[in-house]
Amino acid sequence: MQYQSGDGQSFSEKADVKRNSRNDGNVLVRAGHFGYTAPDGTPISLSYIADEHGFRAIGDHIPQPPAY
């Protein structure tokens, strides 16, 4: 599924059923991306995956923990 609005918002997502990491069952894996322009004009782009290991998001605007 994907769409793009007239104001530049975009969204796409796909889902697949895959074998789990223990190889004893199946798991739904959803992966996608969305983007928009923040009120200050900054382009926001976020990709994600959700599976048996949880929801993981990737984006330059997401705060990161300090490096040790």
Side-chain angles (χ1 to χ4, degrees):
M1 157 187 352
Q2 74 181 52
Y3 76 84
Q4 183 159 0
S5 67
D7 65 357
Q9 295 179 46
S10 63
F11 172 82
S12 66
E13 182 177 80
K14 73 176 196 167
D16 292 310
V17 175
K18 297 184 178 182
R19 295 298 285 176
N20 65 14
S21 60
R22 293 182 309 268
N23 203 27
D24 62 359
N26 294 328
V27 63
L28 177 64
V29 178
R30 293 174 72 166
H33 171 268
F34 67 86
Y36 62 94
T37 302
D40 68 357
T42 303
I44 303 295
S45 178
L46 185 127
S47 298
Y48 62 88
I49 187 165
D51 60 13
E52 66 185 300
H53 304 292
F55 180 88
R56 297 174 310 281
I58 302 165
D60 290 340
H61 65 290
I62 299 173
Q64 299 296 312
Y68 292 99

